[in-house]
Every structure is written in C-alpha cells, then in structure tokens.
Amino acid sequence: MIIHLNGQFLPKDQARISPDDRGFLFADGAYEVVRAYRGHLFRAREHRERFDASLKALRIARPADLDFSALCTGLLQHNQLADAEATVYLQISRGAAPRKHAFPAEVAPTVYGFAASFANPVEKWAAGVKVITVPDQRWARCDIKSISLLPNVLANQLAQEAGAHEAVLVRDGFALEGSLSNFAVVMDEVVHTAPRSNYILPGITRLVGLGLCSALGIPVKEFPVAEADLKCATEAMLFGTTNEVMPVVQINDRKVGDGQPGPLTRKLQQAFRDYVAECQRRG
Ligand code: PDD
C-alpha cells in the first residue's frame, strides 16, 4: 500500500511518524473519510470544507499547498484504485513536539492519508441492520471531525458485541447519531433526525439524504428524537459515507415496524444510488 505522508507518496512500511506526534499523544487532529465511486470523489467539496472547518476549530494551520481532491486522487492512483470502489482517509495532526498540553510554538502539521478498497454492504442494504442505543459519552464539540474517537470506539465495540451494526448515541434522552453515522427515524410518514448542533457531526450523507427527501416530497423534521419515542418509529435508517442509506430494522430488542426495511427508506436508498450513478456519469 502506498500512503501519503507530509507531501510524499511512499510505501506504508516506510512511513515514519514521530512518537512525539500530537496525534499520537493527544489525539490532537482532524480527519475525513471520502467515498470514491470508481474514481469519482463523492461530494469532495463538502468534505474539504468540513475538513477546513474542523482544522479551524482546532486551530491547526492547514498546509497552504494541500490540494484535498488532488491528494485523494493521487492516493487512488498510486494504489490502482482509480477505477475501483474505495474510501480515502485523510488526517492532519498538529505535528510533533515534546509533550506539553498547550500548542508548541512552531510545529509543522503532520499530514497523513491512505486509500483502501471498499466493498458495498449489499446484504445489509437489502436486509437492514440492528442498532443498539448507548449513552453518548462524547464531548460538547461533536461537530468537529476530530481523531479523538474513544467514546465512538467504545460505543461501536458494544454494538459489535451485541451483534449490532451500529450504536446510536443517546444524550439527555435524545437519540442523536451513530458512532460513525447519522441516524433518522420515520414517524407519521415524516423523517425525523437530530438538527445540526455541536452534538452531532454534520454528515455529508445526511445532507444529501435530506436533499433527496425534499426532491421526493418526503417531509423532514430536523428535531431531536427522544429515545422514548423510538418505539413509535415505523422506519429507521443510518446515513454515512460507508453506509450510504442503511435501513435499520431493529433497535435494541424491538423490531422497527414489521422488521423489514420500510418503504420511505427503500425510496431514499434507491434515490441515493441513482444520485451516485448520476454523479459518476457527470464526472
Ligand atoms: N464517519 N457521525 C459521525 C460521528 C461520524 O463519524 C460520521 C462519519 C458520520 C457521517 O458523516 P458522513 O456522511 O459525512 O460520512 C456521522 C466516518 C465515515 C468514519 O469515521 O469512518
């Protein structure tokens, strides 16, 4: 595998990152994951803008010569993934400096990226998945795509151990989002999803999904979903770069609706796939 590190493409086993790197010591950095559909970087501009917003919030200077899309495309090309289903991961940490909490005076950020092939979760898309609810133990800036993901990791592990696909994080009685996806339910034929705030990541798939709802005439309410109301949901779904639109058919021990992916979810799933195909066609 060829990775990118600080301006260079090189074999992964030749990559050298200092143990003083603040990404390693403090999880002091931000990241992005972009889906590449046979070389087409899905919503690259939105991912770049969110990356910039995360870096700005963390007060990490973005290297001036960093070209987000060119870097993603370079990673795909160097790994023979330019015509494949793939994801690209980019991360920038504050850089390497002797351990001290406050920012070092002068430090160059560490830029790291890799691309990996990706297999669509077609069986899960067809059958739907189970999720569990887990207390949200994250901080109050979940809108920053920070590499500090320990609460997400722990929640996701609980999901794995429960035989579930995702953990839905509940804060103050509200089901906000998944450990690596956004979450929505259908109640009374209306898609309900947590509004943008500092308690969720402004997911790009969520944004596209809500746009598709509007195009399809499906009403949306961006309103906090109470955990206690989940039993009233007739459908549920996840939105995310790796999930696209993923039907949820079970929440904890309770079936959602009749336990099959619901009709609005199916419509959105198809619309999302069609939209991806159109983006690929347009190049
Ligand atoms: N995660 N919420 C959280 C907490 C996430 O980590 C993600 C993405 C999303 C969905 O955002 P988007 O639609 O822009 O992918 C929501 C990525 C895929 C990850 O950490 O691997």
Side-chain angles (χ1 to χ4, degrees), residues 61-78:
R62 176 191 203 279
D65 57 350
L66 188 110
D67 181 332
F68 187 90
S69 291
L71 183 45
C72 292
T73 301
L75 281 166
L76 293 171
Q77 286 169 347
H78 277 94

Side-chain angles (χ1 to χ4, degrees), residues 31-33 47 50 89 138 142 145 149 152 166 169 177-182 200-207 239-242:
Y31 77 107
E32 274 300 326
V33 182
H47 281 280
R50 186 173 65 185
Y89 177 92
R138 297 174 301 164
C142 306
K145 204 159 170 59
L149 286 172
N152 309 56
E166 175 64 301
L169 307 173
E177 65 171 333
S179 69
L180 52 82
S181 59
N182 292 109
I200 69 163
L201 185 82
I204 287 152
T205 319
R206 172 188 178 278
L207 190 74
F239 292 123
T241 289
T242 48

Side-chain angles (χ1 to χ4, degrees), residues 130-131 230-233 249-257:
K130 170 184 170 181
V131 301
L230 291 178
K231 59 180 182 305
C232 307
V249 294
Q250 187 179 336
I251 302 176
N252 298 320
D253 292 331
R254 184 189 293 270
K255 274 187 194 171
V256 179

Side-chain angles (χ1 to χ4, degrees), residues 178 218 241 273:
I218 301 171
T241 289
R273 292 262 86 211

